Amino acid sequence: MSPDEAIVTVIAVVFGPLWWAVWLFQMSRVQAAGGRRRHNLATIAIALAASTAAILYILNTAASFDVVDAPMYQFMYVVLGLAWMSVCCTTFAFAGVSPRDDAIERGNQGAASAIAGALLAVAFCYAGGNVGDGPGWWVVVFAAGLATATLMIAWIAIARFSPVTDAVTIDRDPAAGVRLGAILASCGLLLGRGVAGDWFSAAETVSDFLTALPPVAALAILSIAVERIAKPTPDRPRAPIVAFGVLPSILYLAVAIGALSFIRWPE
């Protein structure tokens, strides 16, 4: 491991597993309305564990040839992934849903579902950046950054042109939180795929990534249309979670998986 890789690993340990351990401990001490604190924190913790498992799976099966069989490098990229998610987690509030304020402190079940989906989405973006051979950690950061930035833009666009954020944070609609989490995870799958592959140059990475934008845009438009129909109303302040949460989520994931099947994965 080179000196720069050692430095990146140390920094990632601090802002990755250590940061998450402190955050989860602090959140466990926060009082929440309605007694749903532990349930919501468990939802986020499970999403974090699933995200870590997804990253580790990619590192074991589809990462660069010098990472797949190297536990030291796998450790570096796992903790870097955890740091990546912790940094992104601090920005979720700018998209309209705060992990601490909404999901934990206010005990908002829908917000917890949305944050869980957002964490998975970020993990998919980061994992995609690890797929294929490359010269070093900086290309992973470039690729994952490209995907993650686009994910945040898509989230902000969906929040701007649909009522989903208000449905989650103000109406506290659990079904809306499930829909938001699912659309983010679906977009993350496509964006992670967009940056997957061997590294040749930044220009080629961006060029390949552009193929993921049309299906992501289509998903965002679909989500905006669904939200205008599924948003809470005076007659239906809490929509049935299966009909208005689970079924739209299955639709989003089916569209994402269908789009993936038409895109050739890297050799």
Side-chain angles (χ1 to χ4, degrees), residues 5 19 26 35 56 60 71-72 84 100 106 111 129 154 168 199 201 205 214 216 218 221 225 246 248 259 265:
E5 291 170 339
W19 186 92
Q26 289 177 337
L56 186 58
N60 273 285
M72 183 179 297
W84 193 268
R100 177 191 174 98
R106 298 185 183 116
V168 172
W199 174 271
S201 69
T205 298
V216 169
I221 293 171
V246 176
W265 281 85

Side-chain angles (χ1 to χ4, degrees), residues 24-118:
L24 291 170
F25 175 75
Q26 289 177 337
M27 293 306 100
S28 71
R29 298 171 64 88
V30 173
Q31 295 298 315
R36 289 187 295 270
R37 168 175 57 84
R38 291 183 180 178
H39 173 79
N40 290 351
L41 187 59
T43 298
I44 295 173
I46 290 170
L48 179 63
S51 299
T52 305
I55 292 170
L56 186 58
Y57 174 77
I58 289 297
L59 293 173
N60 273 285
T61 60
S64 181
F65 70 93
D66 55 348
V67 173
V68 170
D69 296 319
M72 183 179 297
Y73 279 113
Q74 289 182 11
F75 174 78
M76 181 185 81
Y77 285 111
V78 166
V79 296
L80 182 58
L82 287 168
W84 193 268
M85 286 188 287
S86 73
V87 171
C88 290
C89 188
T90 63
T91 69
F92 290 167
F94 293 102
V97 184
S98 169
R100 177 191 174 98
D101 296 344
D102 294 311
I104 306 302
E105 192 168 272
R106 298 185 183 116
N108 188 326
Q109 181 182 349
S113 298
I115 295 301

